[in-house]
Amino acid sequence: MPVLAATNIAHHFGHRTILDGVSLSVEPGERLGIVGRNGAGKTTFLKVLTGELKPDEGQVVLNRGSRLGYLTQDPRLDPTDTLRGAAEAAFEKLHALHKRLDEVFHAMATAEGPALDKLLRDQARLESEIEAAGGYAVDHKIDEVLHGLGFRDEQFSIPVAGLSGGQKGRIALAKLLLEAPDVMLLDEPTNHLDIDGRLWLEHYLKEEFRGAVIMISHDRYLLDNVVTRIIEVERGRLIDYPGNYAAFTAIRADRRLTQMRAYENQQSEWKKQEAFIRRYKAGQRARQAKGRETRLERSKRDDKLERPIELAVFSLDLPKPQRSGDVVVAARGISKAYTNHDGSEKVLFRDFDVVVNRGERWGIIGPNGAGKSTLIRVLLGEEAPDTGTVRIGSNVVTGYYKQMHDHVPGDNTVWRYLQNVILKEVPGKALSEQQARNLAGAFLFTGEEQERQLGSLSGGERSRAVLAGLLASAKNLIVLDEPTNHLDIQSAERLEDALEPSDDETGFEGYEGTLLLISHDRALIDATCEHLLVLDGKGGVEVFHGSYTDWHEKQEQRAREEVARQQEEREKREKAERAKAAAEAKKEQKPKAEKSGGGPSMGALGRMKTEQIEARIEKIETRLREIDEALIDPEVWRDAKKSRDLGDERARLQAEKEPLEFEWSRRASE
């Protein structure tokens, strides 16, 4: 039975149709990704599902007793709360249950007879509800989620009013994850997350959250690793695709190719009919031509196929930048630090060396606040390092895309803006109006959109215009600081196409200069960069030659090796502790053995080999550790039977372990 269902939803803004009679059914535990161009209606549809927006037609039904949670792009939080208090507000119901239980205990002190019986029933019911809502282990859960989303302990007491917009977005996400609704609607949950935060969120949604997820996201790796169904919003409709984002792109490409063929066949047939009508309209076959004209008009009205969008292959003739020197940037022993408000020093990077050669593509990654943008400014000579030297190579001409676009004139149309940029930056390559329009079209601006003024564009549309102008301005060093923050997936993929280097085999004419890219978009980094600078947020910088995926796999291998090393050390400690315990037991048991004649043990235990006893002890200890780890998880305590069974199993194992250890110690002392 669906946990959430929307039927025949229609919604309009003025004369524009946003949703045109769409339907969706979501099963418990499903993971859905919603994709589509900016402005296609993705957020509108989510608002309809939450009830925040009433559709013009249709209805939404949430399964009785189910809870729905919604992460908006503009979260509303109590400014008087602390950071941790805002997250803890997810457990308001649990706190209320604890308060009511305390009241019941207080009343039981003086109650008698039927009144006491009722209070006992209330106690049992409240304790059951408390257990289901998280019990007494919520503090650990709150800390886990806040740490996972990139917050440090020293930030927990900061008032919400003092947080940045990005931090508020992460707090709202933390609160929603802690609430654990039956259906979770997420609108761009990775907007303010660094790569570590995105990896943690992926794991949490896949392995820990048990409800259904409906997610709008431009993070292709998140969609690949979490969702099992893609819903594309296009021209007011919902198109359902099975599988993750990679499967969606393959199926959509085949589907749109089929649509294009059908569209072209229809257009070809119509042109034949129109030619026949023009030829015979006034001749002997005028009656036949008139009949065909009537049928053609009816076909155009009732059977017209739409041309599929975004099917054209990327084609762009970028001006060639002048050749720079072999070394573009060389940094030796550079360091940078600043003083915090409390007087402590924050080291961004220390004694760091790097050489960027012509034509190389470098990705710069690290936690939020690690100093990535500062590093770029130091490498470009915009900011002096505290120590060390930076040398810019010869003939280096830099184009710098920053996160803010205040410098962009708002009164220019898109095509005119691009024409002016090229005229200013590359006077010898001035664009005609048609060439400027072709450039705008290559970056997904339709004919009508090209006539809009930049001041009226959305953040993502303005970003596309700025990127188009930058990539066409013949710079031999391009620096991009979070270029996909406001871009939809199609625009991000178009940027990747534009940054592709030239390929002699295919004849593709791409960007031949050097690239420095700051981004949390793992797909973009993988597609464009073959070198990485990895800041750890503690002053360290790793130079890695390879893709993001190569680096991530190496990190996972390091983590596995560290776990194995810690396990080996733990086993050594436990073995040493057992040997020490055996030695102590030997001293204690020797007098007893002499008194009793030192005879062997009787029964099954006495017949076991020492190796068998050791193996059984190790197996019991392994299981005890597993049980202890499970009992730390608040989810386990929400299941009364599971937690009780684990407790009983632990007691049985402990009871079995004691005589085994005694027998092992006795034999070791002989």
Side-chain angles (χ1 to χ4, degrees), residues 121 190 431 444 505 539 642:
R121 290 194 298 272
T190 61
L431 302 181
L444 305 179
E505 292 185 5
K642 186 174 182 180

PDB file of all heavy atoms in Angstrom, residues 121 190 431 444 505 539 642:
ATOM      1  N   ARG A 121      -1.140   1.467  34.018  1.00  0.00           N
ATOM      2  CA  ARG A 121      -1.372   1.292  32.575  1.00  0.00           C
ATOM      3  C   ARG A 121      -0.789   2.473  31.804  1.00  0.00           C
ATOM      4  O   ARG A 121      -0.186   2.300  30.737  1.00  0.00           O
ATOM      5  CB  ARG A 121      -2.869   1.139  32.296  1.00  0.00           C
ATOM      6  CG  ARG A 121      -3.458  -0.187  32.782  1.00  0.00           C
ATOM      7  CD  ARG A 121      -4.830  -0.435  32.192  1.00  0.00           C
ATOM      8  NE  ARG A 121      -5.801   0.595  32.583  1.00  0.00           N
ATOM      9  CZ  ARG A 121      -6.549   0.548  33.688  1.00  0.00           C
ATOM     10  NH1 ARG A 121      -6.426  -0.506  34.526  1.00  0.00           N
ATOM     11  NH2 ARG A 121      -7.414   1.506  33.977  1.00  0.00           N
ATOM     12  N   THR A 190      22.158  18.755  -0.383  1.00  0.00           N
ATOM     13  CA  THR A 190      23.627  18.885  -0.378  1.00  0.00           C
ATOM     14  C   THR A 190      24.100  20.302  -0.660  1.00  0.00           C
ATOM     15  O   THR A 190      25.312  20.532  -0.787  1.00  0.00           O
ATOM     16  CB  THR A 190      24.252  17.942  -1.437  1.00  0.00           C
ATOM     17  OG1 THR A 190      23.770  18.317  -2.741  1.00  0.00           O
ATOM     18  CG2 THR A 190      23.881  16.504  -1.159  1.00  0.00           C
ATOM     19  N   LEU A 431      31.897  39.057 -31.803  1.00  0.00           N
ATOM     20  CA  LEU A 431      30.834  38.175 -32.279  1.00  0.00           C
ATOM     21  C   LEU A 431      29.728  38.964 -32.959  1.00  0.00           C
ATOM     22  O   LEU A 431      29.336  40.045 -32.495  1.00  0.00           O
ATOM     23  CB  LEU A 431      30.233  37.390 -31.116  1.00  0.00           C
ATOM     24  CG  LEU A 431      31.169  36.501 -30.290  1.00  0.00           C
ATOM     25  CD1 LEU A 431      30.369  35.782 -29.207  1.00  0.00           C
ATOM     26  CD2 LEU A 431      31.892  35.491 -31.167  1.00  0.00           C
ATOM     27  N   LEU A 444      22.341  26.466 -23.292  1.00  0.00           N
ATOM     28  CA  LEU A 444      20.955  26.093 -22.978  1.00  0.00           C
ATOM     29  C   LEU A 444      20.011  27.278 -22.832  1.00  0.00           C
ATOM     30  O   LEU A 444      18.962  27.153 -22.182  1.00  0.00           O
ATOM     31  CB  LEU A 444      20.904  25.220 -21.708  1.00  0.00           C
ATOM     32  CG  LEU A 444      21.774  23.958 -21.741  1.00  0.00           C
ATOM     33  CD1 LEU A 444      21.656  23.201 -20.424  1.00  0.00           C
ATOM     34  CD2 LEU A 444      21.385  23.054 -22.896  1.00  0.00           C
ATOM     35  N   GLU A 505      41.366  12.920 -32.407  1.00  0.00           N
ATOM     36  CA  GLU A 505      40.742  11.751 -33.036  1.00  0.00           C
ATOM     37  C   GLU A 505      39.304  12.036 -33.439  1.00  0.00           C
ATOM     38  O   GLU A 505      38.856  11.629 -34.508  1.00  0.00           O
ATOM     39  CB  GLU A 505      40.797  10.557 -32.081  1.00  0.00           C
ATOM     40  CG  GLU A 505      42.209  10.023 -31.844  1.00  0.00           C
ATOM     41  CD  GLU A 505      42.202   8.777 -30.988  1.00  0.00           C
ATOM     42  OE1 GLU A 505      41.099   8.283 -30.675  1.00  0.00           O
ATOM     43  OE2 GLU A 505      43.299   8.285 -30.644  1.00  0.00           O
ATOM     44  N   GLY A 539      45.428  22.503   8.372  1.00  0.00           N
ATOM     45  CA  GLY A 539      46.708  23.044   7.935  1.00  0.00           C
ATOM     46  C   GLY A 539      47.458  22.157   6.974  1.00  0.00           C
ATOM     47  O   GLY A 539      48.494  22.550   6.440  1.00  0.00           O
ATOM     48  N   LYS A 642      13.933  -6.899  20.623  1.00  0.00           N
ATOM     49  CA  LYS A 642      15.311  -7.042  20.145  1.00  0.00           C
ATOM     50  C   LYS A 642      16.308  -6.704  21.243  1.00  0.00           C
ATOM     51  O   LYS A 642      17.288  -7.432  21.459  1.00  0.00           O
ATOM     52  CB  LYS A 642      15.534  -6.149  18.929  1.00  0.00           C
ATOM     53  CG  LYS A 642      16.888  -6.334  18.279  1.00  0.00           C
ATOM     54  CD  LYS A 642      16.988  -5.523  17.002  1.00  0.00           C
ATOM     55  CE  LYS A 642      18.327  -5.755  16.315  1.00  0.00           C
ATOM     56  NZ  LYS A 642      18.445  -4.981  15.058  1.00  0.00           N
TER      57      LYS A 642
END
